[in-house]
Amino acid sequence: MRYYSTNGKAPLASLQEAVVKGLAPDKGLYMPERIGRFPDPFFNRIGEKGLTEIAKEAANLFFGEDIPKKALDGIVEETLDFNIPLVKVEEGIYALELFHGPTFAFKDVGARFMARMLSYFVRKKQQGEVSVLVATSGDTGSAVANGFLGVKGIRVFVLYPSGKVSAMQEAQFTTLGQNITALEVDGTFDDCQALVKAAFMDSELNDRLHLTSANSINVARFLPQSFYYYWAYAQLASRPSADQVIIAVPSGNLGNLTAGLFAKQTGLPIKRFIAANNRNDVFFQYLRTGEYRPAPSIQTLANAMDVGAPSNFDRIVDLYDSSHASIQQAIDGFTYNDEAIKTAVREVYQRTGYLLDPHGACAYMALKEGLQHGETGVFLATAHPAKFKETVEACIDNPLEVPERLKAFMSREKRSLLLPNDLHELKKVLIARS
Ligand SMILES: *Cc1c(COP(=O)(O)O)cnc(C)c1O
């Protein structure tokens, strides 16, 4: 499969180039030249299959031209060694719980899949190690670090702002060791991001190391998230109204939603998607008006969705040939402020006993608002509520049980390298440790 850039000014790339580069040289996003389709019988029988089996078939449809089946199956098996249950919350409304992976948030699947695909390419080319650089304000760092932990041929450097991430987040990427190095930068998240950008532009570093980013725009990171949508559908497929399934997605950079739209292009009979925004409502406004106006991000309780310029937006536009009308037809949108999020967490808990996290709460509300008579709704629960312990406890007036596996991170020894906000110092560390 060849991959083109949404900006149309870069040469076509192989899967390997698209995965190693991440962003195309013209700063566009890579798109596959074709999206395969499953034959209809595939969906008639999907309810009989398990998650891993379905994911293998989807991975094969997207990546099978470039990676032999056996290797690809192995990547899928290693990625999905945890459950993704569909839980009934109330009549006609289900939560697809994406938070049972190592870091208790949905980015685990994309990060793990990408790590293993990158490792496959490194081994096949028998080239030197690849160094992954990632700046984080919290959750991306933990998903990437845990996703790449122990994967051969890859070193990971996580840059984070000292004193500006929560203790629980910090523990998830500073206690791992092995091929993961945490760099604690004396500066802000923006400084970390600027350092990473400068490192990618630095010719000396690029001559000496294979630098790559594990950014969510990477095709190997966002596309495996399509597995969720096949799996949600599979668990409802035996019902008489299986063609009436609506899926609500808590959205930030729109990677997760885009993966769902790709799944739909392969024939998955999802009737409609709903994009749930917090107060960062750039995509909601686009759906309403057809105008895309990026804005500075606003801090909210659902902080992984605090995005003012969604990085996968151009992919959605490209997928629908720039037709606002087609996009509107496929996707509905809603937006919620912090007060609404808190009310939903409390109300749903009191009425049903189901505990939402702030991100899932946005999707739950959007589903309730957008669902029509006779439709079945699924919302994606993207993070474990215990990751937002203080917020959630304040909503429900009850202490919250933190899972043992999450607590275990907190009891391990922190190891980080203090780094001034200085490219020269960063270069020294990267070269010494690669
Ligand atoms: C990253 C994230 C989101 C947003 O996903 P996008 O693919 O960026 O739209 C939602 N919820 C949680 C918990 C996340 O970590």
Side-chain angles (χ1 to χ4, degrees):
M1 181 75 70
R2 292 186 304 176
Y3 290 79
Y4 65 88
S5 163
T6 51
N7 281 353
K9 298 194 185 77
L12 291 171
S14 66
L15 175 62
Q16 172 167 347
E17 285 164 338
V19 172
V20 172
K21 285 198 182 108
L23 206 62
D26 64 357
K27 307 265 191 286
L29 308 178
Y30 280 119
M31 293 284 280
E33 271 195 308
R34 278 171 293 102
I35 298 174
R37 270 188 87 85
F38 283 114
D40 287 344
F42 174 82
F43 294 107
N44 297 338
R45 298 203 6 258
I46 196 169
E48 299 157 23
K49 298 179 182 178
L51 168 62
T52 313
E53 191 182 352
I54 293 169
K56 281 179 185 170
E57 295 192 53
N60 194 45
L61 188 69
F62 290 122
F63 303 120
E65 276 179 31
D66 298 292
I67 301 187
K69 178 144 182 31
K70 194 156 166 281
L72 198 51
D73 283 354
I75 292 172
V76 171
E77 276 166 22
E78 285 183 31
T79 299
L80 293 173
D81 63 353
F82 48 86
N83 286 337
I84 301 182
L86 186 76
V87 176
K88 184 171 178 178
V89 174
E90 60 191 70
E91 208 44 53
I93 296 208
Y94 297 81
L96 186 70
E97 294 188 345
L98 306 180
F99 53 72
H100 297 279
T103 73
F104 298 85
F106 91 95
K107 290 186 178 68
D108 284 330
V109 165
R112 286 158 72 94
F113 190 94
M114 179 185 163
R116 282 152 187 84
M117 186 180 272
L118 204 51
S119 172
Y120 166 80
F121 286 133
V122 170
R123 270 175 293 156
K124 200 189 65 165
K125 266 189 84 182
Q126 295 168 342
Q127 66 183 33
E129 284 202 344
V130 172
S131 295
V132 171
L133 278 191
V134 58
T136 187
S137 56
D139 277 344
T140 301
S142 52
V144 169
N146 283 273
F148 283 74
L149 180 64
V151 175
K152 287 201 183 69
I154 302 174
R155 286 215 137 269
V156 177
F157 299 91
V158 181
L159 284 79
Y160 73 101
S162 182
K164 295 193 178 65
V165 306
S166 78
M168 199 185 289
Q169 288 172 328
E170 189 178 29
Q172 287 184 312
F173 53 80
T174 57
T175 61
L176 298 168
Q178 298 188 53
N179 57 333
I180 312 296
T181 305
L183 301 174
E184 185 171 355
V185 176
D186 184 12
T188 63
F189 170 62
D190 290 340
D191 294 331
C192 295
Q193 230 171 359
L195 275 176
V196 167
K197 270 201 182 136
F200 281 124
M201 307 285 281
D202 189 276
S203 50
E204 187 196 354
L205 272 182
N206 279 291
D207 286 345
R208 300 182 67 155
L209 313 173
H210 290 285
L211 284 186
T212 187
S213 83
N215 198 289
S216 68
I217 51 94
N218 200 296
V219 289
R221 239 194 92 178
F222 91 89
L223 205 40
Q225 294 166 358
S226 62
F227 304 160
Y228 306 147
Y229 298 85
Y230 297 105
W231 179 231
Y233 179 80
Q235 293 177 84
L236 297 168
S238 63
R239 299 155 55 98
S241 55
D243 57 346
Q244 298 292 314
V245 175
I246 313 295
I247 301 188
V249 187
S251 294
N253 274 317
L254 298 169
N256 205 359
L257 177 63
T258 305
L261 299 172
F262 268 72
K264 188 174 162 86
Q265 298 271 329
T266 70
L268 181 67
I270 296 300
K271 190 178 172 194
R272 192 167 71 251
F273 291 88
I274 298 178
N277 278 152
N278 59 21
R279 276 186 64 214
N280 297 275
D281 63 353
V282 172
F283 190 62
F284 168 78
Q285 296 297 348
Y286 166 77
L287 289 174
R288 242 174 34 115
T289 65
E291 280 176 54
Y292 178 62
R293 293 221 177 94
S297 66
I298 306 163
Q299 203 175 348
T300 77
L301 293 177
N303 59 18
M305 295 155 61
D306 293 351
V307 176
S311 56
N312 281 287
F313 177 77
D314 287 348
R315 256 192 191 118
I316 295 180
V317 171
D318 193 273
L319 202 57
Y320 289 92
D321 294 329
S322 305
S323 162
H324 179 250
S326 308
I327 293 173
Q328 257 185 335
Q329 203 173 22
I331 315 164
D332 212 353
F334 298 97
T335 170
Y336 301 97
N337 64 21
D338 281 354
E339 276 314 306
I341 291 172
K342 285 194 268 189
T343 306
V345 173
R346 181 183 316 114
E347 191 275 323
V348 173
Y349 180 71
Q350 285 175 350
R351 181 167 49 83
T352 71
Y354 192 82
L355 193 54
L356 296 163
D357 94 286
H359 305 80
C362 291
Y364 170 85
M365 286 187 278
L367 193 55
K368 286 287 266 196
E369 203 167 336
L371 206 63
Q372 287 163 20
H373 184 72
E375 294 176 338
T376 300
V378 174
F379 68 94
L380 303 187
T382 46
H384 194 292
K387 286 196 97 170
F388 305 89
K389 190 174 190 301
E390 286 76 22
T391 306
V392 170
E393 281 179 338
C395 292
I396 61 171
D397 282 329
N398 257 317
L400 180 66
E401 194 69 41
V402 177
E404 284 305 320
R405 212 155 41 82
L406 194 51
K407 273 193 225 157
F409 277 112
M410 303 289 288
S411 60
R412 288 192 218 134
E413 189 196 348
K414 168 180 162 179
R415 264 180 292 169
S416 68
L417 223 62
L418 284 166
L419 196 75
N421 177 16
D422 181 275
L423 179 63
H424 186 68
E425 293 297 319
L426 173 63
K427 281 172 69 172
K428 281 206 290 200
V429 170
L430 296 182
I431 288 168
R433 300 210 155 209
S434 289

